Amino acid sequence: MKMNVRVLAMALFLLSPATGSFLFGEGGAGEVAAENYPYRSDFLWVTSPNHADWLYKTGEKAVIDVQLYKYGVAVTADVNYEISPDMLEPTAKGTARIKDGKATIALGTRKTPGFLDLKLTANVDGMKTSHHVKVGFGVDNIRPFTKMPGDFTQFWQQTIAEARKTPVSFTREIAKEYCTDKIDCWLVKVKIDNSHSMYGYLTMPKDARKGKHPVVLCPPGAGIKTIKEPLRHRYYAENGMIRFEIEIHGLDPRWPNDDFKSVSNAFGSRDNGYLVNNVYSKEYYYMRHVYAGMVRCIDFLTSLPEWDGVNVAVQGGSQGGALALVTAGLDPRVTLCVANHPALTDMAAYSEKGRTGGYPHLNRNPAGILTPQVIKTLEYYDVINFCRQIQCPVRMTWGYNDNTCPPTTSYAAWNVLSCPKEPFITPINEHWTSETMERQHMEWIKAKLK
């Protein structure tokens, strides 16, 4: 399938004037590649804070033991380091001597709740190698910058009511290439409102029965991209659940990768990404129909005769984690929520000196996009304010070394949740989760079903 009018139409739709510059992407295809133990690397760093949980009280001093190996052999070398608040400019620099593979670096402390990041660089036999480690101080006292607008609930009730003027409708065709002896898979296109649709792959048990199955909505990470592996989480359907893994831009996931790359390169990159499309207006911001679309996808799932009439779960990571929390905050039908390192969290916090904000890191926009008008718009879309509305149980996981969705903003969201909640913290993780962790999410949902 060649680039055609559908691609061009979507490209024109995503185009917006005055969007400014924007660092786009949560890692994209490299999302699981930025790991702390790199595959096939000549070097291995091991950083061990003197508190086993990597957490300290404010004012308490942290010390990091550093080890460095090349080909598994301890090295002796100078290591340059920088110490900085989470995602901000360095406040200290220095050099330490790694002798026989070991060194100790005094990280210092914070007087305010948050994280410090120790960034390490060494040159060994003419080869450069880098690493970093973050530790937290007074994390239970991290509070968000984002304020709640007085008409927040009214705005979203009106938005959803407008979208629902378009009756629930969808097309569904069997995706034989993703069916197995245990599950069936369909490609579904759901009408969101009078202007937008969303595609997704719907999987369910092959022996699905009327009124017997929980539904699980799985929104995507950031980007303009296809749904790569519809069978990656097949165990949801194999365990009796109906799972709907979606995209958010109305693009058919069967398009060739080159078509997606063409649209993404044109309208998903730093100069005009969709996450800043019309961000100057709460009524016309791109994500308005996306958030409403999450509720419409729930409308679709709960219209299926196989739904058990009770259980509605949402699950996702990064932007998908944000959208899971947004949906749980918007839709009281949601009974369970699982979110990995949520994006779109405390986004405007960077506007206050010394504050760490969340993805998409609008402080990096050279046009100075964090204006008072934009900050006001973001209040209606920030995950923080949806977390304030959630009543269903939430399982949330995040890592401390994450430089895409930093731990400061994950704690900001976590600390405002007043619903039943369970953390699953993996300090060493950057912006990734393991297959084991993903499977555990399903097991948590399964155990919590009513």
Side-chain angles (χ1 to χ4, degrees), residues 22-243:
F22 167 58
L23 289 180
F24 183 80
E26 301 173 23
E31 192 166 311
V32 296
E35 301 190 9
N36 306 81
Y37 297 104
Y39 179 60
R40 293 186 178 180
S41 173
D42 293 331
F43 296 98
L44 173 65
W45 293 85
V46 180
T47 45
S48 304
N50 61 329
H51 283 194
D53 60 1
W54 299 29
L55 297 179
Y56 300 80
K57 299 176 183 178
T58 51
E60 192 173 14
K61 294 182 178 180
V63 176
I64 310 295
D65 288 334
V66 178
Q67 298 178 57
L68 177 59
Y69 302 89
K70 181 182 179 184
Y71 307 135
V73 179
V75 304
T76 295
D78 289 333
V79 57
N80 297 317
Y81 65 84
E82 296 181 345
I83 300 170
S84 59
D86 196 7
M87 304 299 294
L88 301 178
E89 293 299 314
T91 55
K93 298 181 180 181
T95 301
R97 183 69 172 172
I98 293 182
K99 185 175 181 180
D100 298 328
K102 297 180 179 180
T104 299
I105 298 176
L107 188 61
T109 190
R110 285 186 62 124
K111 295 180 180 179
T112 57
F115 280 77
L116 287 180
D117 191 356
L118 176 65
K119 301 171 185 176
L120 304 160
T121 303
N123 192 303
V124 181
D125 300 330
M127 302 171 66
K128 183 179 177 180
T129 177
S130 300
H131 187 64
H132 82 120
V133 59
K134 297 185 191 182
V135 299
F137 298 84
V139 295
D140 292 337
N141 294 316
I142 292 174
R143 296 292 179 265
F145 167 86
T146 302
K147 305 297 188 296
M148 170 69 78
D151 63 343
F152 180 86
T153 300
Q154 179 184 355
F155 174 78
W156 283 108
Q157 287 177 343
Q158 179 182 349
T159 297
I160 293 167
E162 289 175 0
R164 281 179 169 159
K165 290 178 181 178
T166 301
V168 173
S169 64
F170 61 92
T171 60
R172 184 166 84 171
E173 58 181 290
I174 196 73
K176 293 182 180 179
E177 65 272 32
Y178 300 123
C179 295
T180 72
D181 59 338
K182 295 181 179 179
I183 68 173
D184 286 326
C185 180
W186 289 269
L187 178 66
V188 177
K189 182 181 180 182
V190 179
K191 188 73 173 171
I192 298 304
D193 54 32
N194 64 353
S195 301
H196 304 96
S197 298
M198 291 181 180
Y199 282 88
Y201 283 105
L202 184 76
T203 53
M204 66 173 65
K206 200 170 272 293
D207 59 352
R209 293 174 293 165
K210 184 177 180 179
K212 295 295 183 181
H213 303 278
V215 293
V216 184
L217 175 66
C218 301
I224 299 172
K225 56 193 177 185
T226 189
I227 302 170
K228 289 185 177 180
E229 300 177 82
L231 288 181
R232 179 186 173 199
H233 297 98
R234 70 181 72 184
Y235 42 76
Y236 280 85
E238 291 173 349
N239 280 268
M241 302 177 206
I242 298 170
R243 186 175 191 271

